[in-house]
């Protein structure tokens, strides 16, 4: 209908342009007729003046009369052309106002009536669809209102739910390590020997690793530190009585990490990858073995104690020395 309306307007515009073009031709023929009449009148006056002049020759008089007759003939032709153009324009103007434009208006009226009919039908379908959907929308809104009224901020809190699922437990107090006793100092210094193959020396594990897993299993706290105010003899006696296990013999392997969790929590995805620079035999609890040049997935960065948690491609996850790795973060 939009294209049809545009076509009717273009048709009316063409008819108007034709009428304007006819009016311009009429104006041109009118000006030409007026100009030729003035020229003919001027030529007739010149011929009459020469005919009365006694000094004028007969040839000049005849030439002036011929010029006056020619101008009079041209004026007559312009008159006839102007009359014909005027008659043609009046006919075209009557056709434009009494035939063409009424027909175009009738077509536009018919098109607009059909447009109104289609719009009415469209609005009827739209209202019918709205009436069918309105009960469903009302039911949904009522359900949303009921659900909003039933909101329990504490029970619906995702943070509280995740904390309850994770088994969050507060870490125990950090133990006091008495390095004033010769036996304890010697035991601390002999955690790992210096490798003879040029590899970096491994440092003993720090106590902060047990606190890295706030959502993991609770670590068993170690025994209370000895009282520093007691004498050395009584302190050694108490240590001897409180220890149920025999002391480690010299040269016996000491566990590198005794405070690792028994099971690692399931992590989301690796935070990087790393390559083993040296071979490492993970014989202690919580550690994992790796071969030189092996590609590993980085699961947790070093927290300052010299150990990094990795995962092997063939399976298995544990801690290895940070100085034995070349790490690349994502």
């Amino acid at each position: 209908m939009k294209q049809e309306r545009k076509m009717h307007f273009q048709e009316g515009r063409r008819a108007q342009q034709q009428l304007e073009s006819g009016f311009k031709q009429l104006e041109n023929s009118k000006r030409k007729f007026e100009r030729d009449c003035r020229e003919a009148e001027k030529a007739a006056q010149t011929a009459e003046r020469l005919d009365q002049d006694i000094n004028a020759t007969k040839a000049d008089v005849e030439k002036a009369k011929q010029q006056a007759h020619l101008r009079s003939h041209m004026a007559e032709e312009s008159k006839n052309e102007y009359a014909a153009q005027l008659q043609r324009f009046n006919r075209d103007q009557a056709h434009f106002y009494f035939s063409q434009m009424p027909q175009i208006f009738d077509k536009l009226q018919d098109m607009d009536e059909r447009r109104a009919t289609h719009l009415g039908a469209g609005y009827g379908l739209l209202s019918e669809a709205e009436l069918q959907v309105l009960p469903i929308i009302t039911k949904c809104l009522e359900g949303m209102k009921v659900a909003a009224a039933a909101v329990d901020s504490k029970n619906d809190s995702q943070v509280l739910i995740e904390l309850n699922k994770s088994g969050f437990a507060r870490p125990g107090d950090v133990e006091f390590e008495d390095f004033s006793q010769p036996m304890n100092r010697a035991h601390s210094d002999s955690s790992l020997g210096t490798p003879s193959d040029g590899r970096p020396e491994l440092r003993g594990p720090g106590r902060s690793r047990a606190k890295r897993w706030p959502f993991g299993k609770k670590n068993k706290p170690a025994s209370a530190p000895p009282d520093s105010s007691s004498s050395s003899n009584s302190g050694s006696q108490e240590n001897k009585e409180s220890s149920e296990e025999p002391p480690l013999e010299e040269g016996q392997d000491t566990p590198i990490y005794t405070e690792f969790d028994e099971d690692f929590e399931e992590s989301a995805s690796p935070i990087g990858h790393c390559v083993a620079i040296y071979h490492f035999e993970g014989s202690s609890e919580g550690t994992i073995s790796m071969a030189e040049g092996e590609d590993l997935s980085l699961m947790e960065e070093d927290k300052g104690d010299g150990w990094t948690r990795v995962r092997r491609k063939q399976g298995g996850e544990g801690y290895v020395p940070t100085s034995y790795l070349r790490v690349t973060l994502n």
Side-chain angles (χ1 to χ4, degrees), residues 277-330:
I277 306 176
Y278 306 103
H279 173 77
F280 175 72
E281 189 68 29
S283 59
S284 300
E285 182 181 2
T287 62
I288 190 172
S289 300
M290 65 179 180
E292 182 178 354
E294 182 178 357
D295 290 332
L296 305 167
S297 297
L298 178 64
M299 306 307 297
E300 180 184 352
E301 292 186 81
D302 186 358
K303 300 299 183 180
D305 53 7
W307 296 87
T308 300
R309 185 158 63 95
V310 298
R311 179 189 295 169
R312 304 184 69 181
K313 292 185 177 179
Q314 58 269 32
E317 187 173 330
Y319 288 92
V320 294
T322 305
S323 57
Y324 282 30
L325 299 174
R326 183 169 62 250
V327 178
T328 302
L329 294 177
N330 290 341

Side-chain angles (χ1 to χ4, degrees), residues 57-84:
T57 62
K58 185 177 180 180
D60 293 337
V61 174
E62 289 295 330
K63 184 178 179 180
K65 288 182 179 181
Q66 290 179 0
Q67 187 69 19
H69 179 71
L70 179 62
R71 292 293 181 183
S72 176
H73 180 69
M74 292 176 62
E76 189 66 23
E77 289 181 352
S78 298
K79 178 181 178 181
N80 295 333
E81 182 181 357
Y82 170 63

Side-chain angles (χ1 to χ4, degrees), residues 72-144:
S72 176
H73 180 69
M74 292 176 62
E76 189 66 23
E77 289 181 352
S78 298
K79 178 181 178 181
N80 295 333
E81 182 181 357
Y82 170 63
Q85 190 67 34
L86 180 62
Q87 185 179 2
R88 188 181 305 112
F89 173 75
N90 290 333
R91 185 179 64 251
D92 293 342
Q93 181 174 247
H95 178 68
F96 175 79
Y97 284 105
F98 294 100
S99 178
Q100 280 185 315
M101 291 307 298
Q103 291 178 1
I104 294 174
F105 287 146
D106 289 341
K107 293 178 181 179
L108 288 172
Q109 178 68 22
D110 178 68
M111 184 273 303
D112 200 60
E113 289 177 358
R114 286 186 285 112
R115 182 183 68 86
T117 302
H118 288 312
L119 283 176
Y123 288 136
L125 292 175
L126 177 61
S127 60
E128 183 179 354
E130 290 286 349
L131 290 174
Q132 292 177 359
V133 176
L134 188 59
I136 302 176
I137 297 177
T138 304
K139 186 176 180 180
C140 293
L141 292 175
E142 290 176 354
M144 292 171 63

Side-chain angles (χ1 to χ4, degrees), residues 208-222:
S208 60
R209 178 64 67 175
K211 299 179 183 179
R212 275 201 202 174
W213 304 94
F215 298 98
K217 296 183 178 180
K218 183 177 181 181
N219 296 309
K220 296 180 180 180

